[in-house]
Tab-separated table of all heavy atoms in Angstrom:
chain	number	residue	atom	x	y	z
A	1	ASP	N	0.841	-1.189	0.000
A	1	ASP	CA	0.000	0.000	0.000
A	1	ASP	C	0.882	1.246	0.000
A	1	ASP	O	2.112	1.161	-0.022
A	1	ASP	CB	-0.965	-0.004	1.192
A	1	ASP	CG	-0.233	-0.148	2.532
A	1	ASP	OD1	0.977	0.152	2.589
A	1	ASP	OD2	-0.874	-0.560	3.512
A	2	SER	N	0.252	2.412	0.049
A	2	SER	CA	0.992	3.672	-0.051
A	2	SER	C	1.968	3.859	1.101
A	2	SER	O	3.074	4.395	0.921
A	2	SER	CB	0.011	4.846	-0.103
A	2	SER	OG	-0.809	4.760	-1.260
A	3	ARG	N	1.589	3.429	2.293
A	3	ARG	CA	2.486	3.566	3.440
A	3	ARG	C	3.741	2.737	3.251
A	3	ARG	O	4.852	3.214	3.461
A	3	ARG	CB	1.765	3.142	4.736
A	3	ARG	CG	2.669	3.257	5.983
A	3	ARG	CD	2.062	2.555	7.178
A	3	ARG	NE	2.042	1.108	7.039
A	3	ARG	CZ	3.104	0.328	7.255
A	3	ARG	NH1	4.294	0.858	7.569
A	3	ARG	NH2	3.003	-0.987	7.125
A	4	ARG	N	3.562	1.508	2.837
A	4	ARG	CA	4.720	0.631	2.659
A	4	ARG	C	5.601	1.074	1.489
A	4	ARG	O	6.817	0.886	1.516
A	4	ARG	CB	4.257	-0.819	2.452
A	4	ARG	CG	3.750	-1.470	3.738
A	4	ARG	CD	3.794	-2.982	3.636
A	4	ARG	NE	3.556	-3.581	4.930
A	4	ARG	CZ	2.435	-4.213	5.293
A	4	ARG	NH1	1.452	-4.343	4.416
A	4	ARG	NH2	2.305	-4.717	6.498
A	5	LEU	N	4.998	1.644	0.483
A	5	LEU	CA	5.775	2.092	-0.666
A	5	LEU	C	6.774	3.172	-0.265
A	5	LEU	O	7.866	3.274	-0.848
A	5	LEU	CB	4.840	2.607	-1.765
A	5	LEU	CG	5.508	3.040	-3.079
A	5	LEU	CD1	6.331	1.899	-3.685
A	5	LEU	CD2	4.455	3.519	-4.068
A	6	LEU	N	6.437	3.959	0.750
A	6	LEU	CA	7.331	5.011	1.224
A	6	LEU	C	8.608	4.448	1.840
A	6	LEU	O	9.606	5.158	1.968
A	6	LEU	CB	6.611	5.901	2.250
A	6	LEU	CG	5.457	6.755	1.715
A	6	LEU	CD1	4.756	7.463	2.858
A	6	LEU	CD2	5.957	7.754	0.683
A	7	LEU	N	8.601	3.184	2.231
A	7	LEU	CA	9.790	2.561	2.805
A	7	LEU	C	10.851	2.291	1.746
A	7	LEU	O	12.040	2.212	2.057
A	7	LEU	CB	9.416	1.245	3.496
A	7	LEU	CG	8.417	1.341	4.652
A	7	LEU	CD1	7.991	-0.063	5.086
A	7	LEU	CD2	9.020	2.105	5.820
A	8	ALA	N	10.424	2.144	0.514
A	8	ALA	CA	11.361	1.897	-0.590
A	8	ALA	C	11.999	3.211	-1.023
A	8	ALA	O	11.681	4.285	-0.508
A	8	ALA	CB	10.625	1.251	-1.750
A	9	LYS	N	12.917	3.127	-1.978
A	9	LYS	CA	13.537	4.334	-2.499
A	9	LYS	C	12.483	5.200	-3.196
A	9	LYS	O	11.477	4.683	-3.706
A	9	LYS	CB	14.669	3.964	-3.446
A	9	LYS	CG	15.870	3.375	-2.724
A	9	LYS	CD	17.020	3.088	-3.671
A	9	LYS	CE	18.217	2.519	-2.919
A	9	LYS	NZ	19.351	2.177	-3.814
A	10	PRO	N	12.694	6.507	-3.250
A	10	PRO	CA	11.671	7.417	-3.786
A	10	PRO	C	11.174	7.062	-5.184
A	10	PRO	O	9.997	7.250	-5.493
A	10	PRO	CB	12.379	8.781	-3.772
A	10	PRO	CG	13.395	8.654	-2.684
A	10	PRO	CD	13.855	7.231	-2.725
A	11	ASN	N	12.056	6.563	-6.028
A	11	ASN	CA	11.676	6.234	-7.408
A	11	ASN	C	11.643	4.732	-7.652
A	11	ASN	O	11.819	4.267	-8.783
A	11	ASN	CB	12.641	6.896	-8.391
A	11	ASN	CG	12.556	8.406	-8.347
A	11	ASN	OD1	11.470	8.970	-8.262
A	11	ASN	ND2	13.702	9.067	-8.377
A	12	ALA	N	11.397	3.957	-6.605
A	12	ALA	CA	11.361	2.496	-6.741
A	12	ALA	C	10.281	2.079	-7.729
A	12	ALA	O	9.193	2.669	-7.785
A	12	ALA	CB	11.088	1.855	-5.387
A	13	LEU	N	10.587	1.052	-8.523
A	13	LEU	CA	9.626	0.540	-9.497
A	13	LEU	C	8.644	-0.404	-8.818
A	13	LEU	O	9.033	-1.239	-8.002
A	13	LEU	CB	10.344	-0.210	-10.620
A	13	LEU	CG	11.430	0.525	-11.391
A	13	LEU	CD1	11.974	-0.370	-12.502
A	13	LEU	CD2	10.905	1.834	-11.958
A	14	VAL	N	7.375	-0.294	-9.169
A	14	VAL	CA	6.351	-1.220	-8.702
A	14	VAL	C	5.904	-2.053	-9.889
A	14	VAL	O	5.451	-1.513	-10.906
A	14	VAL	CB	5.144	-0.476	-8.099
A	14	VAL	CG1	4.035	-1.465	-7.736
A	14	VAL	CG2	5.572	0.316	-6.873
A	15	MET	N	6.038	-3.366	-9.752
A	15	MET	CA	5.722	-4.266	-10.853
A	15	MET	C	4.715	-5.316	-10.399
A	15	MET	O	4.582	-5.612	-9.202
A	15	MET	CB	6.989	-4.944	-11.360
A	15	MET	CG	8.109	-3.983	-11.711
A	15	MET	SD	9.610	-4.789	-12.296
A	15	MET	CE	9.069	-5.370	-13.894
A	16	HIS	N	3.991	-5.879	-11.362
A	16	HIS	CA	3.031	-6.952	-11.094
A	16	HIS	C	2.814	-7.706	-12.401
A	16	HIS	O	2.583	-7.089	-13.438
A	16	HIS	CB	1.708	-6.381	-10.578
A	16	HIS	CG	0.801	-7.407	-9.964
A	16	HIS	ND1	0.281	-8.480	-10.662
A	16	HIS	CD2	0.309	-7.532	-8.703
A	16	HIS	CE1	-0.478	-9.213	-9.861
A	16	HIS	NE2	-0.476	-8.661	-8.670
A	17	PRO	N	2.904	-9.040	-12.388
A	17	PRO	CA	2.741	-9.797	-13.628
A	17	PRO	C	1.306	-9.852	-14.123
A	17	PRO	O	1.062	-10.211	-15.279
A	17	PRO	CB	3.242	-11.194	-13.255
A	17	PRO	CG	2.989	-11.286	-11.782
A	17	PRO	CD	3.247	-9.904	-11.251
A	18	GLY	N	0.331	-9.536	-13.252
A	18	GLY	CA	-1.068	-9.600	-13.630
A	18	GLY	C	-1.581	-11.038	-13.710
A	18	GLY	O	-0.785	-11.966	-13.879
A	19	PRO	N	-2.869	-11.224	-13.587
A	19	PRO	CA	-3.856	-10.206	-13.242
A	19	PRO	C	-3.765	-9.812	-11.771
A	19	PRO	O	-3.368	-10.619	-10.936
A	19	PRO	CB	-5.191	-10.902	-13.552
A	19	PRO	CG	-4.900	-12.353	-13.338
A	19	PRO	CD	-3.486	-12.559	-13.783
A	20	MET	N	-4.126	-8.590	-11.475
A	20	MET	CA	-4.040	-8.088	-10.107
A	20	MET	C	-5.307	-8.381	-9.321
A	20	MET	O	-6.407	-8.315	-9.854
A	20	MET	CB	-3.825	-6.572	-10.113
A	20	MET	CG	-2.491	-6.116	-10.618
A	20	MET	SD	-2.325	-4.307	-10.490
A	20	MET	CE	-3.459	-3.760	-11.777
A	21	ASN	N	-5.120	-8.657	-8.038
A	21	ASN	CA	-6.223	-8.678	-7.086
A	21	ASN	C	-6.119	-7.388	-6.277
A	21	ASN	O	-5.422	-7.330	-5.258
A	21	ASN	CB	-6.135	-9.895	-6.156
A	21	ASN	CG	-6.345	-11.194	-6.907
A	21	ASN	OD1	-7.326	-11.365	-7.610
A	21	ASN	ND2	-5.403	-12.114	-6.768
A	22	ARG	N	-6.752	-6.336	-6.752
A	22	ARG	CA	-6.663	-5.047	-6.067
A	22	ARG	C	-7.247	-5.154	-4.659
A	22	ARG	O	-8.296	-5.760	-4.459
A	22	ARG	CB	-7.406	-3.976	-6.861
A	22	ARG	CG	-6.745	-3.618	-8.186
A	22	ARG	CD	-7.584	-2.637	-8.977
A	22	ARG	NE	-6.995	-2.301	-10.261
A	22	ARG	CZ	-6.310	-1.177	-10.506
A	22	ARG	NH1	-6.148	-0.286	-9.533
A	22	ARG	NH2	-5.803	-0.950	-11.707
A	23	GLY	N	-6.541	-4.566	-3.723
A	23	GLY	CA	-6.992	-4.614	-2.346
A	23	GLY	C	-6.571	-5.869	-1.611
A	23	GLY	O	-6.872	-6.033	-0.426
A	24	VAL	N	-5.883	-6.771	-2.321
A	24	VAL	CA	-5.378	-7.991	-1.683
A	24	VAL	C	-3.848	-7.916	-1.661
A	24	VAL	O	-3.262	-7.603	-0.632
A	24	VAL	CB	-5.856	-9.260	-2.415
A	24	VAL	CG1	-5.312	-10.512	-1.724
A	24	VAL	CG2	-7.377	-9.297	-2.448
A	25	GLU	N	-3.196	-8.160	-2.797
A	25	GLU	CA	-1.737	-8.067	-2.799
A	25	GLU	C	-1.243	-6.647	-3.087
A	25	GLU	O	-0.089	-6.317	-2.806
A	25	GLU	CB	-1.128	-9.048	-3.806
A	25	GLU	CG	-1.418	-8.737	-5.261
A	25	GLU	CD	-2.494	-9.636	-5.834
A	25	GLU	OE1	-3.091	-10.404	-5.049
A	25	GLU	OE2	-2.718	-9.580	-7.058
A	26	ILE	N	-2.085	-5.813	-3.657
A	26	ILE	CA	-1.674	-4.449	-3.986
A	26	ILE	C	-2.875	-3.521	-3.909
A	26	ILE	O	-3.991	-3.897	-4.286
A	26	ILE	CB	-1.033	-4.400	-5.391
A	26	ILE	CG1	-0.391	-3.050	-5.677
A	26	ILE	CG2	-2.038	-4.776	-6.474
A	26	ILE	CD1	0.472	-3.038	-6.932
A	27	SER	N	-2.658	-2.312	-3.400
A	27	SER	CA	-3.750	-1.343	-3.311
A	27	SER	C	-3.910	-0.621	-4.638
A	27	SER	O	-2.963	-0.521	-5.431
A	27	SER	CB	-3.471	-0.328	-2.195
A	27	SER	OG	-2.372	0.498	-2.536
A	28	THR	N	-5.083	-0.096	-4.875
A	28	THR	CA	-5.348	0.628	-6.119
A	28	THR	C	-4.465	1.857	-6.241
A	28	THR	O	-3.967	2.182	-7.331
A	28	THR	CB	-6.830	1.021	-6.196
A	28	THR	OG1	-7.621	-0.165	-6.327
A	28	THR	CG2	-7.102	1.924	-7.388
């Protein structure tokens, strides 16, 4: 989620192979 993303580097890449389960493994 957004809070956890802040722990990574400012320009860290977020990747997902799809299909996504929004709200489960990744927030919208």
